[in-house]
Amino acid sequence: MTTKKNPREEISKPHVVNAKEDRSSKRLVTGFIIFAVLVVGLIGYAFLYDKVLKYNKPVAVVEDHKINGKEFNQRVRLERNSYVMQYNMIAAQMVLLGDNEDYVAYYQQQLSQLLSILDDTEYFGEYVLDNMIDEQIVQIEAEKLGITVTDEEVETLMQELFDYFPDGAVEPTPTYAVKPTSTLTSFQETLVAVTAPTEAPTSEAEILATVEGEIPSEEPAEFVVEETPETAMEETVTEEVAPTATVAELTPTSSEPAGTATPYPTATVYTEELYQENYQEYITNLDGIGVEEEVLRNYIRNYLVSQKLYDAITADVSRIQDQVWARHILVETQDEAIAVLNRLAGGEDWNAVCNEVTLDQSGQENCGDLGWFSKGQMVEVFETEAFSLDIGEISNPVESSFGWHVIQTLGHEERDVETDYDYQRLQSNYYDLWFQDVSANLSIEKSENWIDHVPSEPSVAYDMRVN
């Protein structure tokens, strides 16, 4: 009887080994393919996240209003561009006035300040983000009051920023007429050598100079740069746009012979077509730095909303304010202030003592007379003391950041704010307090990775940087 062999037993051992190797190779290939797909997928996701996805994530949320990374990134670029243009403008002015060492030193200081702002990208970015958060708060409060801004209003302001006024330039607002100064009592006339207080300072520089003892700077105001990157609307747009041509009246002088007058060129009329050319050129420049036109228009829209809200909130701020009329003597130390008090107590004349020792340069001219002022105009510790004194009373030494003051209150009454500047300052203080209150009652969240969205461009060209 023949015994049949199992076919499997005829398979030699080498064949078994080869089959196992084939299966192992297939697993290796499959594993490699899976690994390669994962690596490519991770790289692709990282690229997609860096270029697209991360910009769609919010960098801040105010209530249910979101600020996404793309919007924030472009806004930073827009405002950086404004600072770069301002830098280039000041640099050009410095070249034109290069023969004047004082101007060159002044402009170099301004250029260095701008560079320090632009180079600190984290600070710049956080400043812009905080402003955008404030804009969302404004939007929320404006919606409550039914405040809106139309596309036509946005376009009108855009035209104005390009110095294009199709309906003519806007007429200035009439200045508020100040009521006459109140009559001094015989007691007040006894206190001072003059018969009326000096007028309130008309500018912030003068107010600071009054207390600080410094003369307001006469340097060109248009190039002053604040310490924080506070970007005005005009800085955002107008610096790169050609100004409106001015048509001058040209009258021939009598010394020119008849019939030989020199023909003058006619100024180009700033038409809508020219405005559109300038506008499109600016939009093209923005596109070159990665900023969409809609970002610019939203920026302007937010500005208009904030102005309308400001007007609505401050409309009822009264011009009649509790005010004091005071004068002071400023010295460096407490011992010097005590010596001043002793001299006054001994019967010496205020004006004579003030003119001799005060560090306030303006005080040497008007015997330290600050005129009438309301709350919020002076440093707090100085203001608090002045408002607490009776008429004619002299304070104990009061320390401020400027030194030591001896203060005398000469009047205290409800009266009109004398200047538009001071009234606007009152409105601003009122609005700031209101804004702080409403902000405290809102949910505000700032993402931890907002800094990943802050660009360092545009920036000042390397060969334009000052040392």
Short mmCIF file of all heavy atoms in Angstrom, two decimals, residues 100-135:
data_model
loop_
_atom_site.label_atom_id
_atom_site.label_comp_id
_atom_site.label_asym_id
_atom_site.label_seq_id
_atom_site.Cartn_x
_atom_site.Cartn_y
_atom_site.Cartn_z
N ASN A 100 20.84 123.35 9.74
CA ASN A 100 20.48 123.84 11.07
C ASN A 100 20.68 122.72 12.09
O ASN A 100 19.94 121.74 12.12
CB ASN A 100 19.01 124.31 11.07
CG ASN A 100 18.62 124.99 12.37
OD1 ASN A 100 18.93 124.53 13.45
ND2 ASN A 100 17.92 126.12 12.24
N GLU A 101 21.70 122.85 12.93
CA GLU A 101 22.04 121.78 13.88
C GLU A 101 20.93 121.52 14.89
O GLU A 101 20.72 120.37 15.29
CB GLU A 101 23.34 122.13 14.61
CG GLU A 101 24.57 122.16 13.70
CD GLU A 101 25.83 122.44 14.48
OE1 GLU A 101 25.73 122.63 15.72
OE2 GLU A 101 26.91 122.49 13.86
N ASP A 102 20.24 122.58 15.30
CA ASP A 102 19.16 122.41 16.28
C ASP A 102 18.03 121.56 15.70
O ASP A 102 17.50 120.67 16.37
CB ASP A 102 18.62 123.77 16.72
CG ASP A 102 19.64 124.55 17.53
OD1 ASP A 102 20.52 123.90 18.13
OD2 ASP A 102 19.57 125.79 17.56
N TYR A 103 17.65 121.85 14.45
CA TYR A 103 16.59 121.08 13.81
C TYR A 103 17.02 119.63 13.59
O TYR A 103 16.25 118.69 13.79
CB TYR A 103 16.18 121.71 12.49
CG TYR A 103 15.11 122.76 12.62
CD1 TYR A 103 15.41 124.11 12.53
CD2 TYR A 103 13.79 122.39 12.87
CE1 TYR A 103 14.42 125.07 12.66
CE2 TYR A 103 12.79 123.34 13.00
CZ TYR A 103 13.12 124.69 12.90
OH TYR A 103 12.14 125.63 13.04
N VAL A 104 18.27 119.45 13.18
CA VAL A 104 18.77 118.09 12.94
C VAL A 104 18.72 117.28 14.23
O VAL A 104 18.27 116.12 14.24
CB VAL A 104 20.21 118.12 12.37
CG1 VAL A 104 20.82 116.73 12.38
CG2 VAL A 104 20.20 118.68 10.96
N ALA A 105 19.15 117.88 15.34
CA ALA A 105 19.13 117.17 16.62
C ALA A 105 17.70 116.83 17.03
O ALA A 105 17.42 115.74 17.54
CB ALA A 105 19.80 118.03 17.69
N TYR A 106 16.80 117.78 16.79
CA TYR A 106 15.39 117.55 17.14
C TYR A 106 14.80 116.40 16.31
O TYR A 106 14.15 115.50 16.84
CB TYR A 106 14.59 118.83 16.92
CG TYR A 106 13.10 118.64 17.05
CD1 TYR A 106 12.52 118.40 18.29
CD2 TYR A 106 12.27 118.68 15.92
CE1 TYR A 106 11.15 118.21 18.41
CE2 TYR A 106 10.92 118.50 16.04
CZ TYR A 106 10.36 118.27 17.28
OH TYR A 106 9.01 118.08 17.39
N TYR A 107 15.04 116.46 15.00
CA TYR A 107 14.50 115.41 14.12
C TYR A 107 15.12 114.05 14.41
O TYR A 107 14.44 113.02 14.36
CB TYR A 107 14.73 115.79 12.65
CG TYR A 107 13.85 116.93 12.17
CD1 TYR A 107 14.35 117.92 11.33
CD2 TYR A 107 12.52 117.01 12.57
CE1 TYR A 107 13.55 118.96 10.90
CE2 TYR A 107 11.71 118.05 12.13
CZ TYR A 107 12.23 119.02 11.30
OH TYR A 107 11.43 120.04 10.88
N GLN A 108 16.40 114.02 14.72
CA GLN A 108 17.04 112.75 15.07
C GLN A 108 16.42 112.14 16.32
O GLN A 108 16.25 110.92 16.41
CB GLN A 108 18.55 112.96 15.27
CG GLN A 108 19.33 113.12 13.98
CD GLN A 108 20.82 113.28 14.21
OE1 GLN A 108 21.24 113.74 15.28
NE2 GLN A 108 21.62 112.90 13.22
N GLN A 109 16.06 112.99 17.26
CA GLN A 109 15.39 112.49 18.47
C GLN A 109 14.06 111.86 18.12
O GLN A 109 13.69 110.80 18.63
CB GLN A 109 15.20 113.64 19.45
CG GLN A 109 14.50 113.22 20.74
CD GLN A 109 14.23 114.40 21.67
OE1 GLN A 109 14.44 115.55 21.30
NE2 GLN A 109 13.77 114.11 22.87
N GLN A 110 13.30 112.53 17.24
CA GLN A 110 12.01 112.00 16.83
C GLN A 110 12.16 110.68 16.06
O GLN A 110 11.39 109.74 16.26
CB GLN A 110 11.26 113.02 15.96
CG GLN A 110 10.99 114.35 16.64
CD GLN A 110 10.23 114.18 17.93
OE1 GLN A 110 9.16 113.57 17.96
NE2 GLN A 110 10.78 114.69 19.02
N LEU A 111 13.16 110.62 15.19
CA LEU A 111 13.39 109.40 14.42
C LEU A 111 13.79 108.24 15.32
O LEU A 111 13.33 107.10 15.14
CB LEU A 111 14.48 109.65 13.37
CG LEU A 111 14.12 110.63 12.24
CD1 LEU A 111 15.33 110.89 11.34
CD2 LEU A 111 12.94 110.12 11.42
N SER A 112 14.62 108.51 16.31
CA SER A 112 15.02 107.47 17.25
C SER A 112 13.83 106.96 18.04
O SER A 112 13.71 105.76 18.31
CB SER A 112 16.10 108.01 18.20
OG SER A 112 17.27 108.34 17.49
N GLN A 113 12.95 107.88 18.40
CA GLN A 113 11.76 107.48 19.15
C GLN A 113 10.85 106.59 18.31
O GLN A 113 10.33 105.58 18.79
CB GLN A 113 11.00 108.73 19.60
CG GLN A 113 9.87 108.46 20.56
CD GLN A 113 9.24 109.73 21.09
OE1 GLN A 113 9.60 110.83 20.66
NE2 GLN A 113 8.32 109.60 21.99
N LEU A 114 10.68 106.94 17.03
CA LEU A 114 9.87 106.12 16.14
C LEU A 114 10.48 104.73 15.96
O LEU A 114 9.77 103.72 15.95
CB LEU A 114 9.72 106.81 14.78
CG LEU A 114 8.71 107.95 14.72
CD1 LEU A 114 8.85 108.72 13.41
CD2 LEU A 114 7.29 107.44 14.87
N LEU A 115 11.79 104.68 15.82
CA LEU A 115 12.46 103.38 15.66
C LEU A 115 12.26 102.51 16.89
O LEU A 115 12.05 101.30 16.77
CB LEU A 115 13.96 103.59 15.39
CG LEU A 115 14.37 103.94 13.97
CD1 LEU A 115 15.88 104.14 13.89
CD2 LEU A 115 13.92 102.86 12.99
N SER A 116 12.36 103.11 18.06
CA SER A 116 12.19 102.32 19.29
C SER A 116 10.79 101.74 19.38
O SER A 116 10.60 100.63 19.87
CB SER A 116 12.50 103.18 20.51
OG SER A 116 11.52 104.20 20.68
N ILE A 117 9.80 102.48 18.88
CA ILE A 117 8.42 101.98 18.88
C ILE A 117 8.28 100.83 17.90
O ILE A 117 7.70 99.78 18.22
CB ILE A 117 7.45 103.12 18.52
CG1 ILE A 117 7.43 104.17 19.63
CG2 ILE A 117 6.04 102.58 18.27
CD1 ILE A 117 6.65 105.43 19.29
N LEU A 118 8.80 101.00 16.69
CA LEU A 118 8.68 99.97 15.66
C LEU A 118 9.48 98.71 15.99
O LEU A 118 9.05 97.60 15.67
CB LEU A 118 9.12 100.53 14.31
CG LEU A 118 8.17 101.55 13.66
CD1 LEU A 118 8.86 102.27 12.51
CD2 LEU A 118 6.91 100.87 13.17
N ASP A 119 10.64 98.89 16.61
CA ASP A 119 11.49 97.73 16.90
C ASP A 119 10.94 96.87 18.03
O ASP A 119 11.24 95.68 18.11
CB ASP A 119 12.90 98.21 17.26
CG ASP A 119 13.65 98.75 16.04
OD1 ASP A 119 13.19 98.51 14.91
OD2 ASP A 119 14.69 99.42 16.23
N ASP A 120 10.15 97.45 18.91
CA ASP A 120 9.55 96.68 20.00
C ASP A 120 8.23 96.09 19.49
O ASP A 120 7.14 96.59 19.79
CB ASP A 120 9.32 97.56 21.22
CG ASP A 120 8.99 96.77 22.47
OD1 ASP A 120 8.64 95.57 22.34
OD2 ASP A 120 9.05 97.33 23.58
N THR A 121 8.33 95.04 18.71
CA THR A 121 7.15 94.49 18.03
C THR A 121 6.10 93.98 19.01
O THR A 121 4.90 94.12 18.76
CB THR A 121 7.56 93.35 17.08
OG1 THR A 121 8.28 92.35 17.83
CG2 THR A 121 8.43 93.86 15.95
N GLU A 122 6.53 93.40 20.13
CA GLU A 122 5.56 92.88 21.10
C GLU A 122 4.75 94.01 21.72
O GLU A 122 3.53 93.92 21.83
CB GLU A 122 6.28 92.09 22.18
CG GLU A 122 5.33 91.50 23.22
CD GLU A 122 6.04 90.64 24.24
OE1 GLU A 122 7.22 90.29 24.01
OE2 GLU A 122 5.42 90.31 25.28
N TYR A 123 5.43 95.08 22.12
CA TYR A 123 4.73 96.23 22.69
C TYR A 123 3.77 96.85 21.68
O TYR A 123 2.63 97.17 21.99
CB TYR A 123 5.74 97.26 23.18
CG TYR A 123 5.11 98.54 23.66
CD1 TYR A 123 4.54 98.62 24.93
CD2 TYR A 123 5.07 99.67 22.85
CE1 TYR A 123 3.95 99.79 25.38
CE2 TYR A 123 4.49 100.84 23.29
CZ TYR A 123 3.93 100.90 24.56
OH TYR A 123 3.33 102.07 24.98
N PHE A 124 4.27 97.02 20.45
CA PHE A 124 3.45 97.61 19.40
C PHE A 124 2.20 96.75 19.15
O PHE A 124 1.09 97.26 19.06
CB PHE A 124 4.27 97.74 18.11
CG PHE A 124 3.64 98.63 17.07
CD1 PHE A 124 4.07 99.94 16.91
CD2 PHE A 124 2.62 98.17 16.25
CE1 PHE A 124 3.50 100.76 15.96
CE2 PHE A 124 2.04 98.99 15.30
CZ PHE A 124 2.48 100.29 15.15
N GLY A 125 2.41 95.43 19.06
CA GLY A 125 1.29 94.54 18.80
C GLY A 125 0.27 94.57 19.92
O GLY A 125 -0.95 94.58 19.66
N GLU A 126 0.73 94.58 21.16
CA GLU A 126 -0.21 94.60 22.28
C GLU A 126 -0.98 95.90 22.33
O GLU A 126 -2.17 95.91 22.66
CB GLU A 126 0.53 94.38 23.60
CG GLU A 126 -0.40 94.23 24.79
CD GLU A 126 0.31 93.75 26.03
OE1 GLU A 126 1.55 93.89 26.10
OE2 GLU A 126 -0.37 93.23 26.94
N TYR A 127 -0.32 96.99 21.99
CA TYR A 127 -1.00 98.28 21.95
C TYR A 127 -2.13 98.26 20.92
O TYR A 127 -3.24 98.72 21.18
CB TYR A 127 0.00 99.39 21.62
CG TYR A 127 -0.65 100.74 21.44
CD1 TYR A 127 -1.01 101.51 22.53
CD2 TYR A 127 -0.94 101.22 20.17
CE1 TYR A 127 -1.63 102.73 22.37
CE2 TYR A 127 -1.56 102.44 19.99
CZ TYR A 127 -1.89 103.20 21.10
OH TYR A 127 -2.52 104.40 20.93
N VAL A 128 -1.83 97.74 19.73
CA VAL A 128 -2.85 97.67 18.68
C VAL A 128 -4.00 96.75 19.12
O VAL A 128 -5.17 97.08 18.93
CB VAL A 128 -2.24 97.17 17.36
CG1 VAL A 128 -3.34 96.92 16.32
CG2 VAL A 128 -1.23 98.19 16.82
N LEU A 129 -3.67 95.61 19.72
CA LEU A 129 -4.71 94.68 20.16
C LEU A 129 -5.61 95.32 21.23
O LEU A 129 -6.83 95.17 21.19
CB LEU A 129 -4.08 93.40 20.70
CG LEU A 129 -5.07 92.32 21.16
CD1 LEU A 129 -6.02 91.92 20.04
CD2 LEU A 129 -4.31 91.09 21.67
N ASP A 130 -5.02 96.04 22.15
CA ASP A 130 -5.82 96.72 23.18
C ASP A 130 -6.75 97.74 22.54
O ASP A 130 -7.90 97.91 22.97
CB ASP A 130 -4.90 97.40 24.19
CG ASP A 130 -4.20 96.41 25.10
OD1 ASP A 130 -4.66 95.25 25.18
OD2 ASP A 130 -3.18 96.78 25.71
N ASN A 131 -6.27 98.45 21.52
CA ASN A 131 -7.12 99.40 20.82
C ASN A 131 -8.28 98.69 20.11
O ASN A 131 -9.42 99.19 20.09
CB ASN A 131 -6.31 100.19 19.80
CG ASN A 131 -5.52 101.32 20.44
OD1 ASN A 131 -5.78 101.70 21.58
ND2 ASN A 131 -4.54 101.83 19.73
N MET A 132 -8.00 97.54 19.52
CA MET A 132 -9.05 96.79 18.84
C MET A 132 -10.08 96.26 19.83
O MET A 132 -11.28 96.21 19.53
CB MET A 132 -8.43 95.65 18.03
CG MET A 132 -7.54 96.12 16.90
SD MET A 132 -6.83 94.76 15.91
CE MET A 132 -8.28 94.22 14.99
N ILE A 133 -9.62 95.89 21.02
CA ILE A 133 -10.56 95.47 22.07
C ILE A 133 -11.44 96.65 22.47
O ILE A 133 -12.67 96.52 22.62
CB ILE A 133 -9.79 94.92 23.28
CG1 ILE A 133 -9.15 93.58 22.92
CG2 ILE A 133 -10.71 94.77 24.49
CD1 ILE A 133 -8.23 93.03 23.99
N ASP A 134 -10.83 97.82 22.63
CA ASP A 134 -11.61 99.03 22.95
C ASP A 134 -12.64 99.32 21.86
O ASP A 134 -13.77 99.75 22.15
CB ASP A 134 -10.69 100.23 23.11
CG ASP A 134 -9.89 100.18 24.41
OD1 ASP A 134 -10.22 99.34 25.27
OD2 ASP A 134 -8.94 100.97 24.56
N GLU A 135 -12.27 99.10 20.61
CA GLU A 135 -13.21 99.34 19.51
C GLU A 135 -14.40 98.40 19.59
O GLU A 135 -15.53 98.80 19.26
CB GLU A 135 -12.49 99.16 18.17
CG GLU A 135 -11.50 100.28 17.86
CD GLU A 135 -10.65 99.99 16.64
OE1 GLU A 135 -10.80 98.89 16.05
OE2 GLU A 135 -9.84 100.84 16.27
#
